[in-house]
Amino acid sequence: MKLVKIVSAAVWALGLMLASAAFADPPSIVGRLNYISGPVSFAPAQADEDWVAASLNRPITTGDRLWTDNNAFAEMHVGSLAVRMAPQTSMDVLNLDDRALQLRVAQGDMNLRVRRLPSGRLIEIATPNGAVVVRQPGSYRISVGGDSSTVTVRAGGQAEVFTAGSSVLVRDAEEVAISRSRPELFAASQPDEFDRWAADRDRRQDRVASTRYVPVEMTGYEDLDQYGEGRTVAEYGNVWIPSSVPTGWAPYRYGHWVWISPWGWTWVDDQPWGFAPSHYGRWVWYDNYWAWAPGRLVERPVYSPALVAFIGGASFSVSIGPAVGWVPLGYRESYIPWYSASRTYVQNVNRPYVTNVTNITNVTNIRYVNRTAPGAVTVVSRDNFVAARPVQQATINVPSRTLAAAPVTRSAPVSQPQRTSFARQERGSRPPAQVLSREAVVVNRPPALALEPVRESREDRRAPRVAASAERPPVRVIERRERVSLPVNQAPRAEARTARPAIQAPRADAPAAPQRQPQAVQEQRPRDQQLRQQEQAREQQGERLREQKRDAEQQQKAQAQQQADQIERERKQQAGQREQAREQQRTQQQERERGQKAVQEQRERDQQQQKAAQEQRQRQEVQGVQQERERGQKAAQEQLRAQQEQQRAQQEAQKAQQEQQRAQQAAQKAQQEQQRAQQEQQRAQQQAAAQVQKAQQEQQRQAAQQAQKAQQEQQQRAQRPEAAQAAPKPEAQEPEKGNRERGRKADKD
């Protein structure tokens, strides 16, 4: 029984591993386009040559591309991480999953705010001149110009910049300029209006109070305070209620559907707060209003494309034709993905909202409580669904009896998208060709942008097929080079952001420029010559005084400048000495680390040798035991074969004895047969003799009878002599005939 349990557990574990390996789970995190100001364009991963106007709350994932045109700003959030784009900035998402965020900036200015950096997570920015790898949480400014790039580290961050020839570490309040020549390290330049706007956005998001009941890694949490309020309900715990919604509003009604791989059909909400409540948690109808329940607090919730249950399936139809219906999931109702996912993924995506996640994949009788809530079920035509059109403008009124009879399906209502399914078809500005074709460098190879082939449906046969685009971002992988130590130049860079026009951020906190005071104008009055001469003398005296004052000020400035230069030289010298001391310390530390590493390696080699020797001894002991066991088995087999041979010999002897007994029995039987034959012959002879004797007795009796009869007849003839004389004598013939018959009978017998 114990062996059966062990085998069953092994089979179950193997089946679980095979089931997990059979599915490639989608990422548990995506980006969110949460701020748009001005003309911002977007190209989806599966149609990256189609530039359309960007939509608020659009989920951003691997392969998507963004472009901010003139006077345009954009912000993307990935959990608590914020990425902000200034005007004329091109950004491509090379990789976005649970382990890495890799962006390509071919032109423009980007501000990156990293609040958390878990161990093992990669954040890398690819530029034409170098690759920037973030090492610590902080604020970063990346500017990409025509032939150079600048990386500025602020607010306690640290980044490593890789170029084709070297790498340099950029610390807090430092700035590196990368061009075709060797990188140069400077003190950080003064923040401009774009930096102040980004800092203002950071301060606003740092004050969000909703993080008491939602995790900071829930993408979209930053807008909950501004557009609603939180409450505590006994049945659902913490809930969030929007402060203002349109008339007739219901969850998943004001927005549109798009196709985003690998999830498939994904909801994009129109409300500025609509991202988190659409992709996490559950909606409940409580006390005649809708409330969003975020569920139990977890460190990193798993993103879902839409927490709804589709109604009717692929064959669902209403009066106007094929249709698609859906209802928001209620509290504790399981979310069953309509895309490929493993059992572990399904458990993780439901863990904060469902009490028992063990049997979640076996749930078949979900009641879907929101089907009875007022206006909770939304139905649109299939054409409007796949064309990414606004849902609220295309809603169909379906009788409640028809909706109640329609089944809930776990599969997608439409299996394949059309070309219009990837984004709303509102034309956007296209980046310049030189920006799209500009090559950027990385040190960590991003995954290939594998796009699903899209099959055209019967309704879309005339539309061009969507294939993998040849307009993918050009990226080149460079090798990691040895890190170099550069002196920090405290003087400001002469070319710091002078090549680009000043950025006018939407809400700049820049102080007002000082107003110029009006120049005093001397009134013209009628004076006599003396007064004019006195005035001229006073003016000359004043001019001499002013000249002397200017000379004294210049002399003081020169002395101050000399003192400042001396202080700067001393500070640089001290900085150089400190850097040299740090370099010596680093060298000594590296030497110590190398020595410790060598000792550790030697110790590891010794341990490996001891382990190898022990393993060799164990193998020899095992081999000796194995050989002894084999010899014992061989001796046992030989003994068994000898016993079998002895048994076969005994069987052969028994068989010979049995054959001999059978031969003796056959001889006895033959003798008995011979005796029986002799007895039969004797009986036959006796019977023949008895018959002969009997025949003789019969003959004698018949002969006596005939003789007696003949005597009688003779006597009668004697009594009639005349008759006897006239007639022939039959008596003489009759005895001869009887003798012949008796002879034939005797021969026969």
Side-chain angles (χ1 to χ4, degrees):
M1 180 60 69
K2 186 176 181 181
L3 179 61
V4 172
K5 291 182 179 179
I6 294 174
V7 173
S8 301
V11 171
W12 178 82
L14 179 61
L16 194 64
M17 288 189 295
L18 293 176
S20 300
F23 299 103
D25 289 335
S28 63
I29 187 171
V30 297
R32 173 210 179 195
L33 191 58
N34 61 293
Y35 181 87
I36 296 175
S37 176
V40 179
S41 302
F42 169 78
Q46 289 183 287
D48 55 0
E49 73 279 9
D50 295 341
W51 289 89
V52 298
S55 300
L56 193 68
N57 289 326
R58 167 80 188 205
I60 304 297
T61 187
T62 301
D64 292 340
R65 318 179 75 179
L66 288 169
W67 165 254
T68 52
D69 211 342
N70 294 326
N71 301 321
F73 291 81
E75 180 178 291
M76 179 184 76
H77 262 248
V78 183
S80 62
L81 183 145
V83 180
R84 301 180 179 94
M85 302 168 60
Q88 294 289 308
T89 301
S90 171
M91 186 184 75
D92 304 319
V93 182
L94 303 178
N95 186 21
L96 175 54
D97 57 19
D98 301 343
R99 296 176 299 276
L101 171 63
Q102 292 178 276
L103 305 175
R104 169 184 173 267
V105 180
Q107 174 184 295
D109 292 86
M110 186 184 76
N111 179 277
L112 180 68
R113 171 68 187 277
V114 181
R115 288 175 172 82
R116 293 184 175 185
L117 187 59
S119 176
R121 181 162 180 80
L122 170 68
I123 299 177
E124 181 178 6
I125 312 299
T127 72
N129 304 99
V132 183
V133 177
V134 176
R135 298 300 187 192
Q136 292 181 5
S139 180
Y140 302 85
R141 168 71 178 269
I142 299 172
S143 300
V144 179
D147 56 356
S148 64
S149 302
T150 304
V151 179
T152 307
V153 178
R154 306 186 190 277
Q158 185 181 98
E160 188 169 3
V161 179
F162 295 87
T163 63
S166 63
S167 71
V168 59
L169 195 64
V170 188
R171 299 177 178 84
D172 184 23
E174 293 181 353
E175 182 174 291
V176 64
I178 316 169
S179 61
R180 295 179 181 178
S181 59
R182 186 177 180 180
E184 296 181 271
L185 201 59
F186 297 88
S189 57
Q190 293 298 320
D192 62 0
E193 193 172 350
F194 177 60
D195 293 323
R196 288 189 288 272
W197 173 74
D200 180 67
R201 298 280 298 176
D202 289 332
R203 287 190 295 270
R204 171 182 172 271
Q205 293 170 8
D206 290 339
R207 294 192 298 266
V208 173
S210 298
T211 53
R212 296 192 304 268
Y213 55 87
V214 297
V216 294
E217 294 304 325
M218 177 182 286
T219 304
Y221 77 92
E222 61 274 3
D223 290 321
L224 297 178
D225 284 3
Q226 183 178 354
Y227 295 99
E229 60 178 352
R231 297 181 185 176
T232 301
V233 179
E235 185 177 359
Y236 308 113
N238 293 316
V239 299
W240 179 84
I241 303 168
S243 57
S244 178
V245 293
T247 304
W249 180 90
Y252 301 100
R253 179 166 296 176
Y254 280 72
H256 62 280
W257 291 93
V258 294
W259 179 281
I260 300 177
S261 292
W263 300 272
W265 296 113
T266 302
W267 175 257
V268 180
D269 204 272
D270 287 347
Q271 302 299 325
W273 47 263
F275 191 90
S278 297
H279 303 289
Y280 308 93
R282 301 289 190 270
W283 281 97
V284 296
W285 178 255
Y286 177 78
D287 199 15
N288 293 324
Y289 59 83
W290 286 104
W292 176 63
R296 297 189 299 274
L297 195 64
V298 296
E299 182 177 359
R300 183 183 290 276
V302 179
Y303 162 86
S304 302
L307 293 162
V308 301
F310 285 108
I311 295 176
S315 60
F316 184 56
S317 181
V318 294
S319 59
I320 64 171
V324 178
W326 60 89
V327 61
L329 296 179
Y331 201 73
R332 299 187 184 91
E333 292 178 355
S334 302
Y335 167 67
I336 309 299
W338 48 83
Y339 45 89
S340 298
S342 67
R343 180 188 182 94
T344 303
Y345 175 88
V346 177
Q347 291 178 353
N348 291 336
V349 79
N350 286 281
R351 193 175 302 277
Y353 324 109
V354 180
T355 304
N356 185 10
V357 298
T358 305
N359 298 323
I360 203 164
T361 55
N362 298 325
V363 175
T364 57
N365 55 349
I366 304 177
R367 190 165 63 92
Y368 297 108
V369 65
N370 285 336
R371 295 186 73 172
T372 60
V377 180
T378 304
V379 180
V380 297
S381 67
R382 188 175 300 176
D383 292 339
N384 289 327
F385 179 86
V386 300
R389 298 192 183 102
V391 168
Q392 68 274 14
Q393 301 176 7
T395 304
I396 303 173
N397 293 323
V398 180
S400 57
R401 182 178 301 176
T402 303
L403 293 177
V408 174
T409 178
R410 292 187 177 184
S411 59
V414 182
S415 59
Q416 292 294 333
Q418 298 179 4
R419 190 180 189 91
T420 56
S421 303
F422 302 120
R424 293 180 60 177
Q425 300 301 304
E426 183 180 348
R427 187 176 297 277
S429 58
R430 184 183 181 87
Q434 63 271 21
V435 175
L436 294 174
S437 60
R438 194 176 186 186
E439 185 182 63
V441 296
V442 295
V443 292
N444 297 280
R445 183 181 299 276
L449 304 181
L451 306 181
E452 294 181 1
V454 178
R455 306 181 186 90
E456 57 184 8
S457 61
R458 293 182 179 179
E459 296 84 358
D460 197 32
R461 284 185 176 177
R462 295 184 180 181
R465 292 192 61 182
V466 180
S469 172
E471 201 177 271
R472 294 179 181 176
V475 177
R476 177 169 56 89
V477 181
I478 61 176
E479 296 181 358
R480 294 176 180 267
R481 300 295 183 181
E482 183 179 358
R483 185 185 300 174
V484 298
S485 297
L486 300 179
V488 180
N489 188 355
Q490 299 297 328
R493 289 191 305 122
E495 66 276 9
R497 299 193 180 94
T498 57
R500 296 180 56 81
I503 299 174
Q504 300 295 326
R507 289 180 293 176
D509 297 331
Q515 297 181 357
R516 294 184 178 180
Q517 299 294 331
Q519 186 178 2
V521 180
Q522 184 180 1
E523 295 180 358
Q524 301 293 332
R525 297 176 181 179
R527 297 180 183 276
D528 54 9
Q529 186 68 23
Q530 186 178 1
L531 293 176
R532 283 196 298 272
Q533 291 177 356
Q534 293 177 358
E535 183 68 24
Q536 289 176 358
R538 284 194 297 269
E539 288 179 357
Q540 291 176 0
Q541 186 178 2
E543 183 66 25
R544 285 193 299 270
L545 293 175
R546 284 192 296 272
E547 185 69 24
Q548 292 175 0
K549 186 177 180 179
R550 282 196 297 270
D551 293 340
E553 289 177 353
Q554 289 178 359
Q555 187 176 3
Q556 292 176 358
K557 287 181 180 180
Q559 292 176 357
Q561 184 64 32
Q562 291 178 358
Q563 293 177 358
D565 293 341
Q566 181 66 23
I567 293 172
E568 181 67 21
R569 284 192 297 270
E570 291 176 355
R571 191 185 62 79
K572 288 183 178 180
Q573 186 177 3
Q574 293 174 358
Q577 291 175 356
R578 287 195 299 269
E579 182 64 27
Q580 187 176 3
R582 284 198 297 266
E583 185 65 26
Q584 291 177 356
Q585 291 176 359
R586 282 196 293 269
T587 304
Q588 294 174 359
Q589 181 68 22
Q590 291 175 358
E591 290 294 335
R592 286 194 298 271
E593 290 177 354
R594 281 196 291 269
Q596 293 175 357
K597 187 176 180 181
V599 173
Q600 183 69 22
E601 290 177 353
Q602 183 63 32
R603 187 180 296 113
E604 290 177 355
R605 284 194 295 270
D606 294 341
Q607 292 176 355
Q608 290 177 357
Q609 290 176 359
Q610 293 176 0
K611 186 177 179 181
Q614 185 177 2
E615 291 178 351
Q616 182 67 22
R617 287 194 299 272
Q618 291 177 353
R619 283 196 296 271
Q620 290 176 356
E621 292 176 357
V622 170
Q623 289 177 359
V625 173
Q626 182 96 21
Q627 291 175 358
E628 188 65 27
R629 188 183 296 113
E630 290 177 355
R631 284 194 294 271
Q633 292 177 354
K634 187 174 181 180
Q637 291 175 357
E638 291 293 337
Q639 185 177 1
L640 181 61
R641 281 197 294 270
Q643 292 176 355
Q644 291 175 353
E645 291 293 336
Q646 186 177 1
Q647 290 177 357
R648 281 197 294 271
Q650 292 176 356
Q651 291 175 358
E652 291 292 336
Q654 291 176 358
K655 187 175 181 182
Q657 291 178 358
Q658 292 175 358
E659 290 292 336
Q660 186 177 2
Q661 291 176 359
R662 282 196 295 271
Q664 291 176 357
Q665 292 175 358
Q668 292 176 359
K669 187 176 181 181
Q671 290 178 358
Q672 292 174 359
E673 290 292 336
Q674 186 177 3
Q675 291 175 359
R676 280 196 298 271
Q678 290 176 358
Q679 292 174 359
E680 289 293 335
Q681 186 177 3
Q682 290 176 358
R683 281 196 299 272
Q685 290 176 357
Q686 291 175 358
Q687 289 177 358
Q691 288 179 359
V692 170
Q693 186 177 4
K694 187 177 180 181
Q696 290 176 357
Q697 291 176 358
E698 183 67 27
Q699 287 178 359
Q700 292 175 0
R701 185 180 60 79
Q702 290 178 0
Q705 288 178 357
Q706 289 178 0
Q708 187 178 2
K709 187 177 180 181
Q711 290 177 1
Q712 289 176 0
E713 289 178 356
Q714 188 175 6
Q715 290 175 1
Q716 289 176 2
R717 282 193 301 270
Q719 293 176 1
R720 294 180 299 188
E722 294 179 354
Q725 291 178 0
K729 297 180 180 180
E731 293 86 356
Q733 297 176 357
E734 193 63 31
E736 293 177 358
K737 185 177 180 180
N739 291 332
R740 285 194 300 269
E741 289 178 358
R742 283 192 296 271
R744 284 194 300 271
K745 188 174 181 181
D747 294 337
K748 186 176 181 181
D749 292 336

